[in-house]
Amino acid sequence: MEHGTTALAPRGMDLGQPVIDTDIHCNVPNVRALFPYLSEHWREYITYSAFKGPVDTAYPRGAATSSLPGTSGPDGEAPGTSLKLVREQVLDPWNVELGILNCTYAVESLHNPDTAAAMASAVNDWMIAEWLAEEPRLRASMVAPSRVPEMAAQEIDRIGSHPGIVQVFLPVVSEAPYGHRRYWPIFEAAQRHDLTVSLQFGGAPGNPPTGAGWPSYYLEDYAGMAQVFQTQILNLVVEGVFDHFPRLRIAMIEGGWTWIPSLMWRIDKDWKGLRREVPWNTMPPSDYIRGRMRFSLQPLDAAPDPKHMLQLIEQIGSDDVLMFSTDYPHWHFDRPEEAVPAGLPAELRRKILSENARSFYRFDK
């Protein structure tokens, strides 16, 4: 990343085949853009209360990681708010066969559950009408009011059968780890509709993003998010989510992945001595991770030597767990050739670029 440069919007690259991009961000330009998808009650509420929608964000404007220079619109539109720009800057130049929209609309930051549910439904209807209906290459992760899992399950049942909805979006920072039984209605509904669940970088439920309290700087929040992903993985496995929901699949989006081997080694080792505590876990934790979880490629916390990157993938023990992502419009690489690890064997490269996601999201059904 070359901060301070005048880098332009992401340039695509001929990767030798169409790709499936598992992390394209779309953003609601302003709360009034959702008015066509809200009832009169909520339009009046927003108008008279001057409510602007969720204001917490994991991607503050001005932070270098939030957007690549050049991804704003010609009239100053915020990055990710225009389908036209998404087509021009990511779908066409990257030869995207299918792209999954992840709208980071922080409904989890709203403490009024009725407001959160109404805004989540409006965002989902906005994505269906103004993105999915207009662009056949796009699929979407639906927003869910995760503070009240029963209301989230109702929203999943409302639109979960839509062919363009392929995933339930949850922010990785939550009020409690997602394996807790309070969240199981979400997983039950996702499994009922054969949707994957994704845990995405960020989240604003009101508690700190570290086990040691609030950090002081965005750098700590950003780099430290990998610890939150690891906490969620450990909890999902140990609480028995995958044992209780045998068809559930979970994607970890924008959390990195080079830490997977050390996490596997640690929890497998300790599980051997403590397994009597969790008798529902019928196999080592690493087997749940390899079998039921997938990870988006970006951000790529790359080892400088390609051979070390290959060693990491070998240590994970599976060719199936990584899925290509640009993470558009976030700024994780400068040159297109940095989007994919160098030196990958041809078959592994093909699987990462498209086939792992095709299988995981069951796009061939």
Side-chain angles (χ1 to χ4, degrees), residues 65-137:
T65 47
S66 295
S67 61
L68 182 70
T71 51
S72 297
D75 297 321
E77 303 101 315
T81 57
S82 162
L83 175 57
K84 179 176 182 292
L85 291 177
V86 168
R87 284 172 171 150
E88 293 175 354
Q89 297 182 348
V90 63
L91 296 180
D92 294 339
W94 285 99
N95 192 15
V96 174
E97 175 188 352
L98 292 170
I100 299 176
L101 294 173
N102 291 311
C103 182
T104 57
Y105 202 69
V107 293
E108 77 282 356
S109 69
L110 303 176
H111 288 255
N112 181 325
D114 295 317
T115 307
M119 301 308 292
S121 295
V123 172
N124 291 331
D125 290 343
W126 169 76
M127 283 196 292
I128 289 172
E130 301 191 21
W131 295 77
L132 301 185
E134 300 296 324
E135 177 48 68
R137 290 172 289 184

Side-chain angles (χ1 to χ4, degrees), residues 40-73:
E40 177 60 30
H41 166 77
W42 288 109
R43 291 196 296 270
E44 181 180 17
Y45 173 88
I46 290 169
T47 300
Y48 286 98
S49 67
F51 175 66
K52 298 183 184 305
V55 295
D56 283 313
T57 177
Y59 310 98
R61 297 196 75 169
T65 47
S66 295
S67 61
L68 182 70
T71 51
S72 297

Side-chain angles (χ1 to χ4, degrees), residues 101-357:
L101 294 173
N102 291 311
C103 182
T104 57
Y105 202 69
V107 293
E108 77 282 356
S109 69
L110 303 176
H111 288 255
N112 181 325
D114 295 317
T115 307
M119 301 308 292
S121 295
V123 172
N124 291 331
D125 290 343
W126 169 76
M127 283 196 292
I128 289 172
E130 301 191 21
W131 295 77
L132 301 185
E134 300 296 324
E135 177 48 68
R137 290 172 289 184
L138 289 177
R139 303 294 184 269
S141 303
M142 60 172 292
V143 176
S146 54
R147 274 184 179 273
V148 185
E150 290 77 11
M151 298 178 84
Q154 291 173 8
E155 179 66 7
I156 294 170
D157 285 335
R158 187 181 75 87
I159 63 167
S161 61
H162 187 284
I165 299 295
V166 299
Q167 188 161 252
V168 179
F169 177 108
L170 299 176
V172 72
V173 181
S174 54
E175 282 189 304
Y178 283 119
H180 286 190
R181 285 160 178 75
R182 62 186 279 195
Y183 291 109
W184 286 18
I186 295 175
F187 302 130
E188 185 174 15
Q191 179 174 270
R192 186 161 56 244
H193 293 278
D194 198 26
L195 300 175
T196 63
V197 173
S198 71
L199 271 57
Q200 169 84 38
F201 178 96
N207 53 357
T210 84
W214 288 99
S216 301
Y217 300 98
Y218 182 62
L219 172 59
E220 297 173 90
D221 192 6
Y222 195 87
M225 200 68 71
Q227 302 167 39
V228 186
F229 277 91
Q230 294 178 40
T231 297
Q232 295 285 12
I233 290 171
L234 177 61
N235 183 254
L236 287 164
V237 171
V238 170
E239 291 273 6
V241 168
F242 296 111
D243 302 282
H244 196 80
F245 302 102
R247 300 191 306 279
L248 182 68
R249 308 167 329 267
I250 294 185
M252 298 290 170
I253 305 296
E254 202 182 332
W257 54 271
T258 54
W259 40 262
I260 298 174
S262 62
L263 176 67
M264 286 179 166
W265 295 332
R266 174 138 192 168
I267 58 178
D268 276 4
K269 179 176 76 72
D270 291 334
W271 175 78
K272 290 176 182 176
L274 300 171
R275 57 192 295 181
R276 290 181 181 81
E277 184 186 21
V278 288
W280 43 82
N281 283 169
T282 57
M283 53 188 178
S286 61
D287 285 354
Y288 291 96
I289 296 172
R290 293 188 192 92
R292 306 286 288 280
M293 292 183 175
R294 298 293 180 266
F295 298 79
S296 69
L297 194 60
Q298 295 293 338
L300 180 56
D301 305 319
D305 189 331
K307 73 180 181 184
H308 294 152
M309 189 61 69
L310 283 173
Q311 288 174 347
L312 275 171
I313 296 174
E314 291 173 0
Q315 290 167 350
I316 292 172
S318 171
D319 290 349
D320 298 332
V321 301
L322 300 180
M323 305 186 297
F324 176 76
S325 64
T326 59
D327 195 17
Y328 171 91
H330 301 158
W331 191 1
H332 290 306
F333 50 89
D334 290 305
R335 299 187 299 273
E337 59 270 26
E338 295 174 330
V340 181
L344 297 177
E347 177 59 15
L348 175 57
R349 181 182 169 87
R350 185 182 71 84
K351 294 183 72 171
I352 291 174
L353 291 179
S354 62
E355 298 313 301
N356 287 344

